[in-house]
Amino acid sequence: MTTTTKDSMTSLTYAPLEQLAQAIQHGELTSEALLEAQLARIARHGKQLHAFTEVYADEARAAARGLDQMARAGIRLGPLHGVTVAVKDLFEVEGKPIAAGSKARPPRTSAISAAVVERLRAAGAVVIGKTHTVEFAFGGWGTNAVMGTPWNPWDLHTHRTPGGSSSGSAVALAAGLCTASIGTDTGGSVRIPAGLCGVVGLKTTRGLVSRHGLIELCPTHDTVGPLTRTVRDSAILLDVLSGPDPRDAVSLPVPARAVLPQLDAARGVAGMRMWVLPEAERADVDPEVLTACDEAVRVLEGLGLQRVERALPQSLAESMRVAGSLMSAEGYANLGELFEQEGLEFDPHVRRRILLGRDIGAAQYLQLLRLREQAKAEMLAAMDGVDVCAFPTNAIAAIPLTEVDELATPLSRLGRFVNLLDLCSVAVPAGFTRAGMPVSLQFIARPFDEATALRVGQAFERATRWYLAVPPGLG
Ligand SMILES: NC(=O)CC[C@H](N)C(=O)O
């Protein structure tokens, strides 16, 4: 395996957001210089990587210049002042086309900006462009038969799965085309591509980050989350994005407690308790992924975490079934009318998943919701005395597109149950396969306990430093 690590040439490209924002604040770097470096990379690699649906070069340049003027005058809008963020094309950006990965509807220009976009800009971010997604975010491989599938940047010779549905957001970040990105996670869609592309991805608890201006797939499961290079950057983004918004019905009405100060205040992780992947679930995980994750667990034990072995109250297969049915039922309620039409251009696999919802009746749907509530209560009880679950993010690493079986769901298996049970989770780089593909470990915590997931994630990241590896061959 060859991995390249950061050196002075690439440090601008792959530096964590926090470091770049500080350099801009201290006048050591301009937002414009950062943006130009990234635009140059997009010009060089953008065609092959296919991460962006659109790059807002002109607006981004104007925004960067304005932010640089402010910085020179000592004005700092917020923790993202001057850094670039890419946004999944599932969010409205006023005046910009929105497609949600689909060609089935006539093109539409957004009349509003999503709450997330407003918050990013208010904190000083430059929105550099929109990224590709699986059609209406309904799939884990990252494939999109109508818009094209982004390339996993860890293999520039063979087109491998980027993971989805926030495929372009993960690829753009992993390839150094932006400083952070935003995705959505309904059944793994932030963590899966973060994991396959070797970056950090946070699945937030529903209610923490407003979904106003997001095209919904499954409102009982949809969440918004950042993709970043480090766990600390994830905390910074979370603190920017979280907060009450009456325009999202499930938005928590009270301000969220800032997470970054909690990370700063934390004194190590010794004595914390981690639940490791139960024996019964190991058979479905690729041996190379298991090896990396077992090694990760040993590292965590070395940091003083105590290992807890327990069976899950509900198997991952059962969670897959319940969450999958809810996704299809709600997806059909939202999009069934569109996907029933003949003669339109659809990704056939997304269409199949949506149309599965046609035959789920009201009684069955309500039973599924009841099952979910039971499963949530059982899981919270089972987590008694546990701080985090340390499970693999994905059952496999990135594979060539030619080997994808769209009927199989190995990438959703370890992701979906987190959404079903309303937990939160951060996916952190945890090594590589022999083929040089990233492996990822997720730290899952109770609802609204992102601080604990991030705290353990940060300790792991600092102990292993896998996050410093960058894709070879991109320069
Ligand atoms: N948007 C999502 O998170 C859905 C995709 C996810 N991999 C699933 O099928 O469970």
Side-chain angles (χ1 to χ4, degrees):
M1 181 203 73
T2 44
T3 53
T4 318
T5 45
K6 287 191 306 187
D7 58 26
S8 56
M9 281 293 289
T10 53
S11 63
L12 186 69
T13 306
Y14 292 111
L17 177 149
E18 185 179 40
Q19 204 175 307
L20 294 171
Q22 271 168 11
I24 290 168
Q25 189 188 352
H26 297 143
E28 297 151 8
L29 173 69
T30 63
S31 174
E32 207 178 351
L34 173 64
L35 173 68
E36 289 303 336
Q38 290 169 340
L39 290 176
R41 286 180 73 80
I42 293 171
R44 235 179 5 257
H45 305 296
K47 203 168 176 331
Q48 176 179 6
L49 295 176
H50 196 63
F52 285 92
T53 60
E54 197 185 345
V55 178
Y56 305 149
D58 293 341
E59 293 94 328
R61 283 189 172 111
R65 276 196 292 270
L67 290 160
D68 284 336
Q69 273 171 9
M70 283 186 229
R72 278 193 292 274
I75 300 166
R76 182 172 179 259
L77 287 186
L80 310 184
H81 195 110
V83 300
T84 59
V85 181
V87 179
K88 186 180 190 176
D89 187 25
L90 213 57
F91 293 93
E92 312 275 358
V93 177
E94 191 184 341
K96 297 294 179 190
I98 180 163
S102 184
K103 285 190 178 165
R105 283 177 178 154
R108 175 169 76 78
T109 299
S110 293
I112 60 158
S113 285
V116 164
V117 173
E118 291 172 352
R119 282 180 170 269
L120 289 171
R121 287 182 171 151
V126 174
V127 176
I128 189 169
K130 285 260 199 99
T131 52
H132 279 287
T133 168
V134 173
E135 188 169 17
F136 290 106
F138 205 173
W141 292 106
T143 47
N144 187 322
V146 294
M147 291 291 196
T149 301
W151 275 64
N152 190 309
W154 288 89
D155 188 343
L156 298 176
H157 304 291
T158 303
H159 194 170
R160 283 183 190 251
T161 49
S165 62
S166 308
S167 50
S169 287
V171 171
L173 178 66
L177 311 184
C178 58
T179 307
S181 57
I182 305 295
T184 60
D185 193 316
T186 303
S189 281
V190 163
R191 289 161 289 152
I192 295 167
L196 295 196
C197 292
V199 294
V200 175
L202 178 65
K203 186 268 168 204
T204 59
T205 311
R206 214 162 44 103
L208 208 50
V209 179
S210 171
R211 303 172 302 179
H212 172 71
L214 165 70
I215 294 184
E216 57 184 32
L217 170 63
C218 174
T220 59
H221 284 56
D222 293 340
T223 61
V224 178
L227 294 96
T228 54
R229 297 196 194 292
T230 66
V231 172
R232 244 183 112 69
D233 284 355
S234 193
I236 292 171
L237 262 293
L238 179 62
D239 287 342
V240 165
L241 298 177
S242 63
D245 184 352
R247 299 168 297 180
D248 178 350
V250 304
S251 178
L252 268 194
V254 291
R257 192 171 153 216
V259 168
L260 195 64
Q262 296 182 64
L263 286 191
D264 287 336
R267 294 276 163 268
V269 288
M272 292 177 82
R273 290 162 62 92
M274 65 173 158
W275 182 350
V276 299
L277 188 68
E279 197 56 45
E281 302 290 353
R282 287 174 63 94
D284 286 313
V285 182
D286 176 82
E288 282 197 70
V289 172
L290 277 181
T291 302
C293 289
D294 288 346
E295 173 56 26
V297 165
R298 278 191 290 276
V299 169
L300 290 157
E301 284 179 309
L303 295 175
L305 276 120
Q306 286 168 35
R307 171 194 184 111
V308 177
E309 309 217 21
R310 285 179 193 171
L312 285 166
Q314 174 175 281
S315 71
L316 292 178
E318 175 63 1
S319 295
M320 279 294 283
R321 188 189 69 79
V322 175
S325 299
L326 285 168
M327 267 184 238
S328 286
E330 294 180 33
Y332 189 79
N334 282 325
L335 299 162
E337 211 175 304
L338 178 70
F339 276 85
E340 287 287 4
Q341 292 179 48
E342 298 296 335
L344 295 180
E345 205 182 345
F346 295 115
D347 184 313
H349 304 292
V350 173
R351 189 177 197 209
R352 179 179 52 76
R353 291 175 200 125
I354 296 274
L355 294 186
L356 284 174
R358 183 202 288 145
D359 300 322
I360 301 174
Q364 194 189 341
Y365 177 74
L366 292 171
Q367 279 159 9
L368 288 165
L369 285 182
R370 200 156 55 208
L371 277 178
R372 180 198 199 184
E373 291 312 310
Q374 273 167 18
K376 274 161 61 170
E378 284 169 15
M379 184 64 179
L380 284 184
M383 285 180 83
D384 190 40
V386 167
D387 294 292
V388 291
C389 307
F391 291 2
T393 304
N394 297 313
I396 59 170
I399 58 169
L401 280 198
T402 51
E403 292 172 19
V404 168
D405 172 4
E406 289 278 356
L407 296 176
T409 50
L411 293 173
S412 305
R413 190 173 183 86
L414 290 143
R416 264 192 212 169
F417 84 103
V418 173
N419 302 65
L420 181 74
L421 304 177
D422 258 338
L423 306 169
C424 60
S425 169
V426 63
V428 183
F432 291 88
T433 63
R434 284 190 298 276
M437 292 303 117
V439 176
S440 173
L441 192 71
Q442 58 175 333
F443 298 100
I444 302 163
R446 291 178 181 73
F448 301 108
D449 197 12
E450 278 77 0
T452 296
L454 292 165
R455 177 177 167 191
V456 181
Q458 177 170 268
F460 176 71
E461 170 182 272
R462 288 184 172 169
T464 57
R465 302 167 71 83
W466 289 116
Y467 74 97
L468 291 175
V470 301
L474 282 172

